[in-house]
Amino acid sequence: MQELDTLIEQSNLKTSRSECIRDLVRELIDENRCVQPDAAVVATLTLVFDHHAHDLQERLHEIQHSFCDTMISTTHIHLDEHTCLEVIILKGRAQEVQTIGLKILSTKGVLTGKLFLTNTDDVLGGMRS
Ligand code: NI
């Protein structure tokens, strides 16, 4: 509890201990829902890669085309002479989004990245068929 209070104090967040715990519980519930394979989710996939890596851009492009129903948008930024950042937005079922995310992140030449899922079952209508 003391550590939590210190964390709240240091974070400069105008929040109380109970609000902080409530937010954490919500986050945990949301994470658990995203794990359900059939959950409706939106996700951001951030990846950093070396654009000199052999065939990498072609391979990433190929994957995105094969799942074009799930890929909503891709933003590409050139970070420096060698390194690129891409943020891909996905929408679909948790299992499919996770599979595509892992496929992209495990592509040889991808330096680092992160897939972040948000459950939309309660906020969006018409996603469940
Ligand atoms: Ni680039």
Side-chain angles (χ1 to χ4, degrees), residues 3-4 9 13 15 21 26-27 34 43 46 58 62 71-72 75-77 84 87 93 99-100 106-107 109 113 115:
E3 276 190 43
L4 180 62
E9 209 177 291
L13 294 171
T15 187
I21 291 171
R26 270 193 192 151
E27 212 170 288
C34 287
T46 303
E58 285 77 8
E62 197 68 47
M71 302 283 176
I72 304 294
T75 302
H76 183 109
I77 294 159
C84 302
V87 180
R93 305 288 169 197
T99 304
I100 299 168
S106 62
T107 303
L115 177 69

Side-chain angles (χ1 to χ4, degrees), residues 49 51 57 76-80 82-85:
F49 59 92
H51 80 165
Q57 293 210 75
H76 183 109
I77 294 159
H78 317 297
L79 289 178
D80 63 18
H82 314 286
T83 322
C84 302
L85 166 79

